[in-house]
Amino acid sequence: MKPSISRRAMVASAAALALGPGLFPGLLRPARADNATTGVTDTTIRIGQSAVFSGPAKDFGIDYRAGIKLYLDRVNKSGGVNGRKIELVTYDDAYDPAKTAVNTAKLIDEDKVFALTGYVATGNLAAAMPLAEKAGVPMFAPLVGTTSFRTKVNRYLFHVRAGYDLELRKIISHLSTIGIQSIAVVYQDSAFGKSNLATCEELAADYKVKVLKTFPLAIAAEDAKQVVTGLADAKPGAVVMIMAGRMVEVFMRDYRASAVGSPLYTLSVGITDAAGSAKRLDGKLAGLVTASIVPPPQALRVPIVADYQRDRAEFGEKIDSYTALEGYIVARVMVEGLRRAGKTPTRDSFIAGLESIGSTRFGEFPIEYSAKNHNGSTFVDLEIYARDGQLRR
């Protein structure tokens, strides 16, 4: 079946934004959805997700979806939200912004979702947002911390995780405090990497930490030997990685095999499958310092972590990671917004419900929303990996 004109137009519009001008000439203006209650029936609320479920970054999407679904299973078992169970419709975009645009158009045009959630990666969010905005569909809690999405309030976009700017500030301020005055940056050769490299350079200037050299690395890179050679020549006090997925392992494998001894720091998205990474790196994950934007998944002293582990046991969820816990928290906050949307929820009442949350804690995890703030959490901590992939503070 051929896509409708509105769908083709929205796909083209988003793909053009994500992949660059000139690739999709003759763009058509997508139509705005007229029905604010689309995706809501007497018994269900349909939520859509496009994320990476295949390829070298698949752990992000798989774990994020697992955590989201885990809390939704809890809610649905208890009768749903105001009598409506929440249905999660998901598609794989394989980390490709063009596929994200196609999936998002399908979720809006064909699946008639009420809202979107659980998207992964900067370029993919950039591909989806024009479609969501044109159709008036809320986009809730993408796994994206890029600063450019947070400097101005977008009515349709709500974050939960802290921004990468806060993660990088935590890293750079820590380095400055312990007396490290020079760094090199290895960054993912993508919209995510380039945007956050600029943020890192600005923060380094603020803290008077010199950026000696920056090195791009392809998402699908099979080795990083040239980058490692460049680092050996630069001799930085520390190396900051702005990368996500298996490419982090590729870099660390080659870095640990070299004589370069500078300490390594990464964003929260650097390592998702910590146990797997530790095994594949044969213990060489030890010593990597990471920013964390949720509490440790084993910290049962934190109420929301205790709830997460209880539900994992009850529903038989085998995935257990920081990303899965993040997804669980995301779903809990989203459900609170749906509850506040009222017995006859509309997209406008859902947005108003989220904004009415104000400053509160979900199982001791802090969230703040208002009409002027859709950024969610500011929680960031630093942890260090042990040989087995466990994190220590």
Side-chain angles (χ1 to χ4, degrees):
M1 182 177 67
K2 293 183 178 180
S4 65
I5 291 176
S6 62
R7 179 180 165 193
R8 287 201 307 268
M10 289 192 293
V11 169
S13 175
L17 177 61
L19 302 179
L23 296 181
F24 296 87
L27 299 183
L28 299 176
R29 189 175 185 84
R32 182 183 178 89
D34 293 326
N35 187 356
T37 60
T38 294
V40 178
T41 71
D42 290 341
T43 58
T44 63
I45 300 174
R46 186 177 299 121
I47 306 295
Q49 179 188 23
S50 174
V52 51
F53 301 120
S54 62
K58 66 181 180 181
D59 293 332
F60 293 109
I62 290 171
D63 287 23
Y64 207 33
R65 177 176 60 184
I68 292 169
K69 188 175 182 300
L70 179 60
Y71 188 74
L72 297 185
D73 286 345
R74 161 62 61 196
V75 171
N76 288 341
K77 184 177 180 179
S78 302
V81 178
N82 294 320
R84 295 180 178 89
K85 294 189 176 181
I86 303 174
E87 176 187 353
L88 183 65
V89 181
T90 65
Y91 294 113
D92 181 17
D93 59 34
Y95 218 48
D96 181 349
K99 290 182 180 178
T100 305
V102 172
N103 290 347
T104 303
K106 184 177 182 181
L107 287 164
I108 293 171
D109 279 356
E110 299 178 20
D111 296 306
K112 308 293 185 183
V113 298
F114 177 74
L116 300 164
T117 194
Y119 279 52
V120 176
T122 298
N124 305 74
L125 180 60
M129 278 312 301
L131 311 181
E133 291 175 84
K134 295 292 185 182
V137 178
M139 170 71 75
F140 187 75
L143 202 160
V144 175
T146 300
T147 306
S148 58
F149 290 111
R150 296 166 180 262
T151 52
K152 293 182 180 180
V153 174
N154 182 326
R155 171 172 169 74
Y156 298 103
L157 176 60
F158 287 81
H159 304 279
V160 169
R161 63 165 31 231
Y164 295 139
D165 60 327
L166 297 181
E167 294 187 36
L168 287 166
R169 183 177 293 278
K170 189 81 171 181
I171 291 170
I172 300 297
S173 65
H174 167 75
L175 292 173
S176 177
T177 298
I178 64 175
I180 292 179
Q181 295 299 315
S182 68
I183 62 171
V185 183
V186 183
Y187 66 96
Q188 184 169 307
D189 194 7
S190 67
F192 155 70
K194 293 171 185 176
S195 175
N196 291 294
L197 170 63
T199 300
C200 183
E201 290 175 323
E202 291 171 6
L203 287 167
D206 289 345
Y207 284 92
K208 295 181 172 53
V209 174
K210 187 175 182 180
V211 179
L212 299 177
K213 197 78 174 175
T214 64
F215 301 91
L217 190 64
I219 294 171
E222 295 184 359
D223 76 73
K225 293 176 183 176
Q226 187 173 353
V227 171
V228 171
T229 298
L231 289 169
D233 293 338
K235 297 181 174 60
V239 177
V240 177
M241 296 184 290
I242 303 176
M243 301 185 289
R246 293 296 172 87
M247 63 185 299
V248 175
E249 291 184 25
V250 170
F251 169 73
M252 288 198 65
R253 178 200 66 203
D254 292 348
Y255 185 83
R256 295 299 196 202
S258 74
V260 185
S262 304
L264 298 175
Y265 289 75
T266 182
L267 296 177
S268 61
V269 293
I271 299 290
T272 296
D273 178 19
S277 293
K279 185 176 181 180
R280 288 185 289 270
L281 289 169
D282 192 25
K284 294 181 178 64
L285 187 64
L288 173 64
V289 178
T290 182
S292 298
I293 50 81
V294 296
Q298 291 75 39
L300 297 179
R301 67 186 182 279
V302 182
I304 200 161
V305 176
D307 292 345
Y308 160 76
Q309 293 293 358
R310 175 205 65 203
D311 288 347
R312 281 190 65 244
E314 179 172 338
F315 291 96
E317 179 53 65
K318 295 181 179 179
I319 294 174
D320 183 20
S321 67
Y322 278 71
T323 305
L325 174 58
E326 181 181 350
Y328 183 88
I329 294 170
V330 158
R332 184 159 169 177
V333 179
M334 180 175 69
V335 165
E336 179 62 22
L338 290 171
R339 288 196 179 106
R340 290 171 180 246
K343 292 184 177 180
T344 307
T346 66
R347 288 164 176 161
D348 284 345
S349 68
F350 175 50
I351 290 169
L354 289 169
E355 290 178 343
S356 73
I357 287 174
S359 180
T360 189
R361 290 178 176 268
F362 290 80
E364 292 304 312
F365 185 79
I367 290 289
E368 184 172 354
Y369 291 133
S370 70
K372 296 181 179 180
N373 176 20
H374 288 188
N375 284 339
S377 173
T378 58
F379 176 88
V380 181
D381 206 348
L382 292 181
E383 299 179 286
I384 188 167
Y385 283 101
R387 286 181 57 85
D388 61 358
Q390 294 294 314
L391 281 165
R392 304 283 185 266
R393 273 185 167 78

